[in-house]
Amino acid sequence: MAKKKGSRFGSEELELDMTPMIDIVFNLLIFFMCATKFRSQEGMIEAFLPKNRGQGSGTPQIDLNEVRIKLLWYDRSGRPTNVKTPREGGCVVLKIGDEVFNSAGELEDFTYRGRYLPEKHPVWRKLYEKLVAFRDGYSGTSEKGLPVIIDARKQVPTKYVISALNEVVRAKIKDVTFAAPEIPY
Amino acid sequence: MAKKSRVEQDPEPKPELTPMIDIVFNLIIFFMIVSELSNLTVEDLQLAYADQAAKPPKTAGAEKILQINVMEQDGLIKVRGHAFTTDAKLIAAGKYDSLAKFLGIEATGYEREEPIPGSPGPGPSKMRVNIRADKDGAFQRVQEVFDACMRNGIYKTSLAASKDDPGGP
């Protein structure tokens, strides 16, 4: 608020009262601090389930051109295992058809900038390139293009499944579904 | 007399708006914090990284996406702050409600697509579901949610992911 101050020469000088402005500035500061979300930026990847499964559905149709990305669960020696976590020695092995993308333990031991970050392993780039090749060579009749199925064993940590799905989306493949849990591996 | 004349000369009193603005801002902050605390649809989880994850589509009304939180610590599934399970033993013991049953009730509020030729049941549901699962949790938990969705004809699923690069820029 401006205050009038008489001067020796009869003119009036204005003196600004800064207190209310500082009040408002502090309030704005608190407001924007609270409004800022400190949570990580979250998104979502669409992956529809098979439409022709579940309640009252018929026999699922099989496309012979479909690509099935398998996320297998092996022990360190490369044999199927029933251990529950990577700490107990479980390892993820990525496979399409007969092609194996990584050896057991390779993902779990991978470090990036001094941290264990399997999400940064080159195997995901390799998977992407493979998917692009499949997509470009697709000769099926589906309107949505190459169908891809992600088939992960139940013990596989979710981050590996998301990484595989991430590469499918990067390869601009529209028809991606998850294998139903009851499908035998 | 002199005093009275000074009063007469004073300008009309103007309302001081600063305290009101102060209070309004404080109220805004208060309600923001309260609303943040009451936001139970999204639980605090460590999501997996995916740079291709898209922002949720802006849907309104019946097309709103149901957030399903797969909790790692207690093995439960939380929807709008309410705990559900897929474990038949826990359901039979009456400890928690069945997720499949809940989804079945929720799906009734959504339209269904045309039935699939050759399938005797109703068409797939238009309901959308976003599954938020801990990145180090076993995929089996997500598969159980998938199973509950498929039992109710819900196929429009998505997985939540973090867009923050764990390896840094």
Side-chain angles (χ1 to χ4, degrees):
Chain A
M1 207 177 166
K3 281 181 182 176
K4 288 175 184 175
K5 194 180 177 184
S7 78
R8 203 181 292 172
F9 306 103
S11 63
E12 286 185 339
E13 280 180 24
L14 289 172
E15 195 179 87
L16 281 171
D17 186 359
M18 300 292 280
T19 319
M21 196 192 77
I22 294 164
D23 278 2
I24 290 170
V25 166
F26 269 107
N27 268 309
L28 281 170
L29 195 70
I30 296 164
F31 172 77
F32 285 112
M33 274 178 72
C34 290
T36 309
K37 286 188 177 173
F38 293 101
R39 270 199 307 238
S40 63
Q41 209 188 341
E42 191 174 323
M44 53 194 268
I45 307 184
E46 279 186 349
F48 291 174
L49 294 171
K51 222 176 185 181
N52 51 355
R53 301 280 175 92
Q55 198 177 40
S57 59
T59 312
Q61 290 175 334
I62 296 166
D63 187 336
L64 293 171
N65 292 295
E66 71 183 22
V67 171
R68 187 172 283 255
I69 303 169
K70 287 181 183 175
L71 290 133
L72 304 170
W73 188 242
Y74 288 163
D75 61 16
R76 292 260 162 183
S77 61
R79 290 183 202 149
T81 180
N82 285 321
V83 297
K84 288 183 176 175
T85 62
R87 281 184 186 175
E88 294 170 49
C91 307
V92 176
V93 172
L94 196 65
K95 206 174 167 185
I96 295 179
D98 293 329
E99 189 179 348
V100 181
F101 285 72
N102 64 298
S103 57
E106 201 182 324
L107 281 170
E108 287 71 19
D109 297 339
F110 182 74
T111 55
Y112 180 81
R113 294 182 183 173
R115 291 168 64 198
Y116 287 101
L117 283 173
E119 299 95 323
K120 292 282 177 185
H121 194 281
V123 74
W124 304 115
R125 181 78 197 168
K126 207 171 144 187
L127 173 66
Y128 164 74
E129 284 164 4
K130 191 78 187 171
L131 288 169
V132 169
F134 274 123
R135 182 200 67 195
D136 294 344
Y138 177 64
S139 57
T141 53
S142 171
E143 285 176 15
K144 287 164 85 181
L146 177 74
V148 170
I149 296 171
I150 298 175
D151 190 353
R153 293 234 174 173
K154 61 182 183 181
Q155 301 95 332
V156 171
T158 306
K159 63 184 172 191
Y160 295 102
V161 182
I162 301 248
S163 291
L165 181 60
N166 195 40
E167 298 313 318
V168 175
V169 176
R170 198 193 305 281
K172 296 187 171 31
I173 292 166
K174 306 284 179 201
D175 189 1
V176 51
T177 50
F178 282 102
E182 71 273 12
I183 286 177
Y185 294 99
Chain B
M1 280 296 279
K3 203 175 182 179
K4 196 178 175 183
S5 66
R6 195 185 292 169
V7 170
E8 281 168 357
Q9 284 168 7
D10 274 350
E12 279 183 24
K14 285 179 182 175
E16 178 64 77
L17 287 169
T18 320
M20 197 193 74
I21 295 166
D22 281 2
I23 290 166
V24 166
F25 269 106
N26 273 307
L27 281 170
I28 290 169
I29 294 162
F30 172 76
F31 284 112
M32 273 187 68
I33 292 166
V34 168
S35 67
E36 191 74 22
L37 289 173
S38 64
N39 186 8
L40 296 169
T41 57
V42 176
E43 300 285 340
D44 188 23
L45 292 166
Q46 286 279 318
L47 299 175
Y49 165 66
D51 62 344
Q52 298 295 310
K55 281 184 180 177
K58 285 180 182 174
T59 50
E63 285 291 305
K64 209 171 179 183
I65 301 165
L66 186 76
Q67 302 284 344
I68 298 180
N69 301 276
V70 182
M71 310 302 289
E72 190 53 27
Q73 296 99 340
D74 49 13
L76 294 171
I77 294 153
K78 287 190 176 173
V79 184
R80 298 189 198 116
H82 191 84
F84 295 95
T85 186
T86 51
D87 189 332
K89 285 178 187 172
L90 290 173
I91 296 163
K95 287 187 176 178
Y96 296 101
D97 291 329
S98 159
L99 178 73
K101 200 176 172 185
F102 167 76
L103 289 175
I105 295 162
E106 279 286 311
T108 54
Y110 292 81
E111 286 178 29
R112 286 196 176 260
E113 293 176 6
E114 290 294 311
I116 298 164
S119 302
S125 173
K126 287 185 177 178
M127 185 176 164
R128 294 178 73 97
V129 158
N130 185 39
I131 301 162
R132 302 179 74 253
D134 199 278
K135 65 175 183 176
D136 292 315
F139 189 61
Q140 182 184 10
R141 307 290 317 287
V142 179
Q143 283 178 323
E144 286 166 3
V145 178
F146 282 158
D147 187 44
C149 289
M150 283 199 295
R151 281 171 195 270
N152 294 292
I154 301 161
Y155 74 100
K156 288 183 176 181
T157 52
S158 59
L159 289 171
S162 169
K163 293 187 85 176
D164 293 339
D165 192 341

